[in-house]
Each structure stands twice: as structure tokens, then as C-alpha cells.
């Protein structure tokens, strides 16, 4: 099962369309206000299959993204998800069950107040660790499903409703430090599900080493108050096709980590050669229960999983994703086979003025 799909809400099609049209209306306003700041429509279209313990699920998905500048200091951003799921009927019944989901991932306005200070308001992705903000789009992530620890620190929906401050606190030739702080209110609205909480992150980037280290913290302020702690490390050596990404997260009931490495074989004839388009992948991850209260979205028992993947980067922003995983736990071991194809699209909403 895709790790990003639990955040979509069924039966919300009309509301999702209405709010996304609101974002499009903002886009139209920007056209009349400043046609030189051309809004962009982007996103991805994909078709995935996942075979988990012998049961195969089919998932066609579309994720449109809108970025509409309103003058020099305001940017309206939104991303939605349209997903169809075809899964086998349970209880040994023949045939497949079909469900569909349409939901907003985020809808926010960014006000660039100063060089080191941006104010964000609306429905935004919670900036805990890196995966939620950077790797959940289907055209970016290497594996179909997210890591096992992904739900930690994301307040069940992955998004917050309220405000956020973020920016680059320090910028030097040898290093830079960026920050974020958010506050989210509680919301039971169908397309703006959120829980009350606050938190933030701080990241150190070393450009010469191409190394990023970061810390995250947030606190749930409704129901049973809980603290969440996170840390991450990303390393992308210069002039190589190698990338190393990792995260650690700790909650009140569980903790865990994941480490992912990928290597684009561009050393063999260049990135656009037949071999250079190949991208072997590996990810190792573990989760550990701190108690028996399994209310955080993680496996109910200690779990280990190893993922092996091979992606192929076709021309015209198209990728083929394949992977095999073996998961180990006290409740039973099983295999997970996944395949998919993703196309990334990007185009201006209209033709801008000639300079």
C-alpha cells in the first residue's frame, strides 16, 4: 500500500474540486495583476502495482500542482491527489473492490517579507524531517511507498492548518542554516483535516561537502499531548550519481529509522545513455515499539524491512519504478513487489509577455 494514500479522504470529491478551483481563481487574478509572473501548472501522472503477501493492488494516480505568483512577494501554492484503487475482495471472495479518493495535499500562500523571512498561511505540509515536504510527490520519490516511520510527527494527516515562519537564518560561503516554525489549529473539515500542535526544524547545509544535517521537533497539543523528535542526514557527493538519505524519528510509543542510497549510472556513457539511465536503489529501515499502544500508524511490533529497487529514467520526464522488499516481524515475514511508471508534466498556465 502506498504510504501517502492514508492521508486522502473518500467522499470528498466536490469539496476538493471546489478548493482547487479557488486556487485556480487566484491564478487568474495573478494573470490580470502581472502577466509577466506566469503561473505554472505541474505535477505527475502514474500507474502503480503493489503485490503484498500475494495480494496485488492497482493504483492509477494524478497529482496536479499549482504555483501562482501574485506580484513580487506573494506565491499561492497547491497540490491535490486523485487516486483510484483496485484491490482484491477480502474473505476469499473473487473479483476486485474499487475505491476512489480526491483530496488536497496542501493549499497555502507564501509572503516573502524579507531575505531571511517568509510567512506561510493556509493548509501546509508539516515540516517534520524531510520526507513529507520533499519526497512525497510521485515524480520525486525513488520508491512507491514511503518509509515505515513516516507517520511519526505528522499529526495523522500530514498537514497543518494555520501559519508558519521559515527562511534562511544564516548564509555564508561555507555553510548555511535554515529554519521553520509552525502552529496548527484543530480542524475537522473534510478537506482541511488537521490537529492542534506546533513545532519546527533547523538544517545545516555544507555546500563544499554537499552535506545536510537537520533536527526536527513538534508537539501534539490535543488529546494526549505527545512530543516527536526527528533528525536527518543527506549527502550528495559532487560530480557523482550517488545520493545517501536518512532519517530518524522518535515518538511517545515508537521510534525508528531509514537509510536510502541510490546511484545513477551516468558514469557509463553519460546520464542519457542506455546504461546511464539506470538507477539502482537500496533502503533499509527498522521500527521499534516503546510500548504496546499502536496508535501512531507504525507496525504494532518491532519490524525490519529491506527494499531493493531499480528505476529507469526515460526521456521526457518519465520514470519506470521497480522494487522488491522483504519485511520481517514477529507477526510474520512477507514479500512486497512493486512496479510503476510516472510522467512529470510542467507547463505555464498561459503565454507570458515577451520582454
Amino acid at each position: 500500500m502506498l504510504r501517502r494514500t492514508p492521508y486522502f479522504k473518500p467522499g470528498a470529491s466536490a469539496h476538493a474540486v471546489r478548493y482547487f478551483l479557488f486556487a485556480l481563481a487566484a491564478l487568474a487574478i495573478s494573470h490580470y495583476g502581472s502577466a509577466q509572473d506566469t503561473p505554472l501548472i505541474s505535477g505527475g501522472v502514474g500507474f502503480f502495482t503493489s503485490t503484498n503477501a500475494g495480494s496485488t493492488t492497482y493504483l492509477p494516480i494524478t497529482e496536479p500542482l499549482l504555483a501562482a505568483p501574485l506580484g513580487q512577494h506573494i506565491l499561492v501554492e497547491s497540490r491535490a491527489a486523485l487516486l483510484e484503487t483496485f484491490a482484491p475482495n477480502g474473505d476469499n471472495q473473487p473479483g476486485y473492490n474499487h475505491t476512489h479518493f480526491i483530496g488536497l495535499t496542501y493549499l497555502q500562500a507564501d509572503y516573502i517579507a524579507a531575505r531571511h523571512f517568509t510567512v506561510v498561511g493556509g493548509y501546509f505540509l508539516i515540516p517534520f524531517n524531510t520526507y513529507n515536504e520533499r519526497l512525497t510527490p510521485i515524480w520525486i520519490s525513488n520508491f512507491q511507498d514511503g518509509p515505515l516511520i513516516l507517520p511519526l510527527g505528522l499529526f495523522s494527516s500530514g498537514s497543518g492548518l494555520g501559519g508558519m515562519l521559515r527562511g534562511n537564518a544564516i548564509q555564508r560561503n561555507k555553510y548555511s542554516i535554515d529554519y521553520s516554525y509552525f502552529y496548527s489549529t484543530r480542524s475537522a473539515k473534510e478537506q482541511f483535516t488537521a490537529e492542534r500542535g506546533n513545532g519546527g526544524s533547523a538544517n545545516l547545509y555544507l555546500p563544499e561537502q554537499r552535506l545536510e544535517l537537520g533536527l526536527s521537533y513538534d508537539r501534539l497539543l490535543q488529546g494526549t499531548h505527545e512530543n516527536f523528535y526527528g533528525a536527518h542526514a543527506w549527502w550528495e557527493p559532487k560530480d557523482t550519481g550517488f545520493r545517501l538519505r536518512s532519517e530518524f524519528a522518535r515518538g511517545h510509543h515508537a521510534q525508528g529509522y531509514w537509510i536510502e542510497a541510490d546511484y545513477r549510472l551516468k558514469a557509463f556513457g553519460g546520464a542519457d545513455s542506455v546504461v546511464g539511465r539506470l538507477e539502482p536503489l537500496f533502503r533499509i529501515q527498522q521500527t521499534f515499539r516503546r510500548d504496546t499502544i499502536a496508535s501512531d500508524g507504525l507496525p504494532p511490533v518491532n519490524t525490519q524491512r529491506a527494499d531493493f529497487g531499480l528505476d529507469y529514467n526515460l526521456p521526457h520526464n518519465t520514470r519506470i519504478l521497480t522494487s522488491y522488499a522483504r519485511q520481517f516481524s514477529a507477526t510474520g515475514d512477507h514479500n512486497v513487489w512493486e512496479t510503476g511508471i510516472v510522467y512529470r508534466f510542467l507547463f505555464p498556465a498561459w503565454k507570458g509577455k515577451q520582454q
Side-chain angles (χ1 to χ4, degrees):
M1 181 178 182
L2 292 178
R3 281 281 160 182
R4 54 183 72 88
T5 58
Y7 301 149
F8 304 154
K9 284 77 70 176
S13 303
H15 294 285
V17 172
R18 184 180 304 131
Y19 291 121
F20 198 74
L21 288 176
F22 169 79
L24 291 177
L27 181 152
I29 294 173
S30 72
H31 172 56
Y32 290 102
S34 178
Q36 293 179 352
D37 297 327
T38 305
L40 296 176
I41 297 176
S42 180
V45 178
F47 182 83
F48 300 111
T49 71
S50 177
T51 302
N52 191 327
S55 178
T56 301
T57 302
Y58 302 91
L59 304 104
I61 182 173
T62 301
E63 286 190 353
L65 183 149
L66 169 70
L70 304 178
Q72 296 182 349
H73 296 282
I74 299 177
L75 176 68
V76 175
E77 300 179 81
S78 182
R79 194 173 89 216
L82 299 84
L83 172 70
E84 300 284 336
T85 304
F86 300 87
N89 292 320
D91 300 325
N92 297 320
Q93 297 294 320
Y96 280 77
N97 178 40
H98 169 243
T99 58
H100 68 275
F101 302 88
I102 298 179
L104 283 174
T105 307
Y106 62 86
L107 174 59
Q108 66 185 58
D110 308 332
Y111 175 64
I112 305 172
R115 180 182 176 184
H116 302 288
F117 191 72
T118 298
V119 181
V120 179
Y123 193 55
F124 53 83
L125 293 173
I126 292 177
F128 184 84
N129 274 341
T130 58
Y131 200 96
N132 191 42
E133 284 194 305
R134 303 187 194 178
L135 299 178
T136 49
I138 61 173
W139 61 90
I140 294 179
S141 55
N142 288 326
F143 292 97
Q144 286 186 38
D145 54 348
L148 297 174
I149 64 169
L150 179 58
L152 290 179
L154 298 187
F155 299 169
S156 75
S157 70
S159 301
L161 182 64
M164 176 165 51
L165 305 177
R166 68 188 319 159
N168 197 332
I170 301 175
Q171 179 71 53
R172 301 288 186 269
N173 291 332
K174 294 185 177 296
Y175 70 94
S176 64
I177 298 175
D178 65 72
Y179 68 92
S180 67
Y181 171 80
F182 76 92
Y183 177 83
S184 172
T185 188
R186 182 175 184 176
S187 172
K189 295 291 185 180
E190 200 168 30
Q191 280 301 321
F192 296 103
T193 303
E195 296 183 332
R196 188 161 62 91
N198 66 348
S201 64
N203 303 315
L204 169 67
Y205 180 64
L206 306 175
E208 293 183 359
Q209 295 79 13
R210 296 176 64 87
L211 174 67
E212 178 182 298
L213 304 172
L215 296 173
S216 300
Y217 166 81
D218 58 26
R219 179 172 174 80
L220 182 64
L221 299 176
Q222 70 178 63
T224 302
H225 294 194
E226 298 181 29
N227 297 315
F228 298 92
Y229 307 89
H232 76 270
W234 283 30
W235 182 44
E236 299 183 10
K238 187 178 180 180
D239 299 326
T240 72
F242 178 76
R243 292 183 299 185
L244 182 68
R245 299 163 173 165
S246 64
E247 284 186 356
F248 167 82
R250 178 185 176 93
H252 189 73
H253 305 295
Q255 63 186 22
Y257 72 90
W258 61 268
I259 302 173
E260 177 182 314
D262 67 271
Y263 179 64
R264 178 78 177 264
L265 301 179
K266 62 181 183 180
F268 300 90
D272 294 329
S273 66
V274 174
V275 177
R277 295 181 183 277
L278 287 168
E279 193 171 358
L281 317 165
F282 174 71
R283 181 172 66 188
I284 183 72
Q285 50 186 324
Q286 287 185 283
T287 63
F288 306 93
R289 299 304 314 179
R290 301 182 63 198
D291 56 36
T292 58
I293 303 175
S295 61
D296 46 24
L298 271 66
V301 297
N302 294 349
T303 301
Q304 300 82 41
R305 176 167 167 166
D307 299 79
F308 305 87
L310 182 64
D311 293 351
Y312 195 78
N313 299 275
L314 293 167
H316 308 296
N317 299 314
T318 303
R319 302 173 70 206
I320 296 175
L321 285 65
T322 63
S323 66
Y324 161 77
R326 180 69 174 174
Q327 186 162 307
F328 306 90
S329 70
T331 58
D333 305 339
H334 62 270
N335 300 320
V336 181
W337 300 85
E338 295 178 327
T339 61
I341 184 168
V342 178
Y343 169 67
R344 167 75 187 280
F345 58 85
L346 173 66
F347 54 87
W350 47 74
K351 187 176 180 179
K353 288 183 176 180
Q354 297 293 330
Q355 298 293 328

